[in-house]
Amino acid sequence: MTPQGAPGRPGAAERAKELGELTLRLIRMPSVSGSEAAVADFVEERLRRLGFFEVFRLGDAVVARSDFGRDRRVLLAGHLDTVPDTVPPQPAELVDGAVTGRGAVDMKGGLAVLLRLAEHAVRGAEHDCTLVFYDQEEVGSHRSGMHRLSRLHPELLRADAAILLEPTGGWLEPGCQGSLRVSAAFHGRAAHTARPWQGVNAVEVALPAVERCASHKPEVVTLDGLRYPQALQVVGVAAGGDSNVVPDRCVVHLNARYAPNRTRDEVLAELRELLGPDARDLEVTLDSPAAPPSLGHRVLTRLSGLVGERVRPKLGWTDVGRLAQLGVPAANFGPGDPELAHGPRERVGLDELVEVYDVLERVMSG
């Protein structure tokens, strides 16, 4: 999977050293969600110093675009923020062929790959490139820098294809599931619990809908040879106040994960039917669009060919969904075991960093 070094190209050991040291440097810049200014400054300065990018700053999101007049444009993206560190903090170290510390996996390793690609691969790429470094990804999709960019400056995100360097362990995870969260209210009539026959318990009104939703098993959908399971969960039921009052209102919260061949409106119609006629005040509280795998696109086909059989569906939501909504075919591909993300023992191997870097360099070179 890793290409042989070309004449004049740094060898694997040198690439590993550079990527490891850069990852460690990024880890040592704390960037908990909402406090990314220092690392955004570092990225912006490093990109401007190269001299061939047009660089934009929106809050703590940084976008760099090359413009060599090439026929196609590829977008590469990663988020700057991390979740808060564990207590006691995990040491940031480069030891035993790996980098450790908060964000090593999610996703300072991916950021290091992006920066090194900017410095060593963009000028020789077959495509023009857009690099996006954005903030507040870990605190909700509608607070993130990618959301601001897509809403305020969608022209900066226009591209023929995109690769998001979320940690995938070097697997290609094209597209993503959609996520829809809704709430619905069920109404009754309040009464004293000593005389419940004078009221109507809203929890009892809601129970048939809760049972229908809890027992619903959406089908598994296969797209581009990848199996996307779907799921519906009752994630909250809230009712009542005083324990001596029959509750007159019960709110049910649902989370639906749906396959990329379905639309938000189709899923919402299905939820309305499951909730039934007693549901009132239906509200969509989160709407994160699905992204199709798009493996037939030239860039993603090439990426798929380079990783061989290491292709699997993305279970969960990432910003490839937002990019797909803008008409950009997108996939997830980055270094680091996602099972280690946000945990007390984040680590990313130097071999993982080199492998992902080399594959993306080949994708960019055509």
Side-chain angles (χ1 to χ4, degrees), residues 22 24 48 131 137 147 165 190 199 236 247 271 332 348:
L22 182 52
L24 185 61
R48 288 191 186 279
L131 306 182
E137 189 270 352
H147 176 66
L165 274 79
L271 297 182
N332 306 276
V348 61

Side-chain angles (χ1 to χ4, degrees), residues 52-74:
F52 53 82
F53 281 118
E54 188 176 11
V55 181
F56 303 85
R57 179 82 175 252
L58 182 67
D60 286 330
V62 182
V63 180
R65 289 168 55 91
S66 72
D67 188 4
F68 299 113
R70 292 161 186 163
D71 291 339
R72 293 181 177 83
R73 178 172 295 277
V74 174

Side-chain angles (χ1 to χ4, degrees), residues 32-48:
V32 173
S33 302
S35 302
E36 301 94 336
V39 70
D41 289 345
F42 172 78
V43 167
E44 181 182 11
E45 180 185 357
R46 197 158 175 137
L47 294 170
R48 288 191 186 279

Side-chain angles (χ1 to χ4, degrees), residues 41-286:
D41 289 345
F42 172 78
V43 167
E44 181 182 11
E45 180 185 357
R46 197 158 175 137
L47 294 170
R48 288 191 186 279
R49 200 166 59 224
L50 293 173
F52 53 82
F53 281 118
E54 188 176 11
V55 181
F56 303 85
R57 179 82 175 252
L58 182 67
D60 286 330
V62 182
V63 180
R65 289 168 55 91
S66 72
D67 188 4
F68 299 113
R70 292 161 186 163
D71 291 339
R72 293 181 177 83
R73 178 172 295 277
V74 174
L75 183 148
L76 303 166
H79 62 83
L80 299 167
D81 60 322
T82 71
V83 295
D85 210 337
T86 53
V87 181
Q90 182 185 5
E93 299 177 316
L94 177 50
V95 61
D96 296 330
V99 187
T100 66
R102 171 60 74 223
V105 171
D106 195 12
M107 57 176 295
K108 298 295 180 73
L111 295 180
V113 170
L114 273 178
L115 283 171
R116 196 176 187 281
L117 287 167
E119 294 164 349
H120 296 277
V122 168
R123 275 199 285 199
E126 178 186 39
H127 318 285
D128 270 312
C129 298
T130 298
L131 306 182
V132 182
F133 301 79
Y134 60 103
D135 57 316
Q136 299 198 72
E137 189 270 352
E138 299 289 6
V139 289
S141 65
H142 294 296
R143 291 174 59 185
S144 78
M146 187 69 83
H147 176 66
R148 290 198 312 278
L149 287 166
S150 66
R151 185 168 50 88
L152 300 176
H153 296 285
E155 71 280 0
L156 295 180
L157 302 179
R158 291 194 183 115
D160 294 282
I163 301 167
L164 186 62
L165 274 79
E166 283 284 344
T168 65
W171 283 71
L172 172 60
E173 296 181 345
C176 70
Q177 294 171 308
S179 179
L180 191 64
R181 298 180 196 174
V182 304
S183 66
F186 295 81
H187 296 281
R189 186 171 65 253
H192 197 290
T193 52
R195 295 175 291 279
W197 55 86
Q198 294 181 349
V200 177
N201 192 316
V203 175
E204 295 178 8
V205 176
L207 274 176
V210 171
E211 291 174 352
R212 284 193 298 273
C213 292
S215 62
H216 182 64
K217 304 299 179 188
E219 65 177 344
V220 176
V221 173
T222 300
L223 299 170
D224 286 359
L226 303 174
R227 289 168 55 83
Y228 288 88
Q230 302 184 98
L232 175 62
Q233 290 292 301
V234 179
V235 294
V237 178
D242 294 335
S243 60
N244 62 348
V245 177
V246 173
D248 63 350
R249 190 170 189 268
C250 178
V251 179
V252 176
H253 301 274
L254 305 177
N255 180 209
R257 300 284 176 153
Y258 60 94
N261 68 327
R262 304 185 67 196
T263 67
R264 171 247 202 212
D265 289 344
E266 289 172 346
V267 177
L268 188 57
E270 180 180 60
L271 297 182
R272 287 184 188 278
E273 184 175 350
L274 286 167
L275 287 166
D278 291 328
R280 299 286 186 271
D281 309 322
L282 189 69
E283 179 184 2
V284 176
T285 57
L286 180 69

Side-chain angles (χ1 to χ4, degrees), residues 296-319:
H297 187 279
R298 173 179 173 175
V299 171
L300 301 186
T301 297
R302 178 161 176 76
L303 180 52
S304 175
L306 289 169
V307 301
E309 296 182 355
R310 300 175 69 187
V311 182
R312 62 190 179 195
K314 178 65 183 177
L315 304 184
W317 191 85
T318 71
D319 278 296

